[in-house]
Amino acid sequence: MAKAKKGSSGTPATQALTAAAISHTLHPYDHDADATHFGAEAAEKLGVDPATIFKTLVVTDGSGLAVAVVPVSSQLDLKAMATALGAKKVTMADPQVAARSSGYVVGGISPIGQRTPLPTVIDSSAQRLELIMVSAGRRGLQVQLSPADLAQTTGASYAPIGR
């Protein structure tokens, strides 16, 4: 089990995982400041299948925020996400609102250890995988853990929200 270190890799996400004694492995990589497709960049730099790296997206139903966790090889199906949340409709949250709510920078938003815990839905494709990666709370750092541990840590549910 990885230990969150003070300094370069200690983020609220890694600290939450360590405090909960959840087995995880950190995967740092050199983030390119010009990159805009953060998940695809992580998959390429780490040499892993994009279907095993999940991106964290923040959505709004107009009255509140929620978190969607989908493979970087997929897109978020907003209608399916609304259904999963029991909402009429959801749209992508403003990036600055997402950053402020989560406490993380855009491109490094982790579903774990968010400043304001939000309803979280993980794409059901994660359940077919032994391990997945999500942002560990900063650009250039992914954390690998089991989907069940991610769901437990975030209080997430599963639904087919990717397409």
Side-chain angles (χ1 to χ4, degrees):
M1 177 167 58
K3 298 284 184 201
K5 296 177 189 152
K6 300 245 188 246
S8 66
S9 64
T11 67
T14 61
Q15 293 164 0
L17 290 169
T18 299
I22 290 180
S23 179
H24 63 282
T25 305
L26 295 178
H27 293 273
Y29 61 93
D30 291 327
H31 166 65
D32 179 350
D34 294 329
T36 56
H37 299 283
F38 304 107
E41 177 198 25
E44 181 183 327
K45 296 252 177 132
L46 295 172
V48 299
D49 182 347
T52 65
I53 294 188
F54 284 61
K55 56 191 169 186
T56 305
L57 303 171
V58 180
V59 299
T60 180
D61 65 2
S63 63
L65 300 173
V67 173
V69 183
V70 296
V72 300
S73 58
S74 300
Q75 290 185 334
L76 175 62
D77 181 332
L78 292 170
K79 287 183 182 181
M81 182 66 177
T83 299
L85 293 170
K88 260 188 178 174
K89 175 183 177 183
V90 298
T91 58
M92 295 301 298
D94 176 273
Q96 297 315 312
V97 170
R100 193 167 39 253
S101 170
S102 68
Y104 295 116
V105 355
V106 172
I109 295 177
S110 178
I112 305 162
Q114 293 205 359
R115 178 180 294 148
T116 305
L118 299 172
T120 302
V121 181
I122 302 168
D123 184 63
S124 53
S125 67
Q127 293 176 292
R128 295 189 293 271
L129 301 170
E130 184 179 337
L131 296 170
I132 63 172
M133 288 189 203
V134 295
S135 175
R138 69 174 168 82
R139 295 174 187 162
L141 186 62
Q142 294 286 309
V143 62
Q144 186 176 46
L145 72 169
S146 77
D149 284 342
L150 176 61
Q152 175 192 341
T153 305
T154 59
S157 60
Y158 293 100
I161 59 170
R163 59 180 161 134

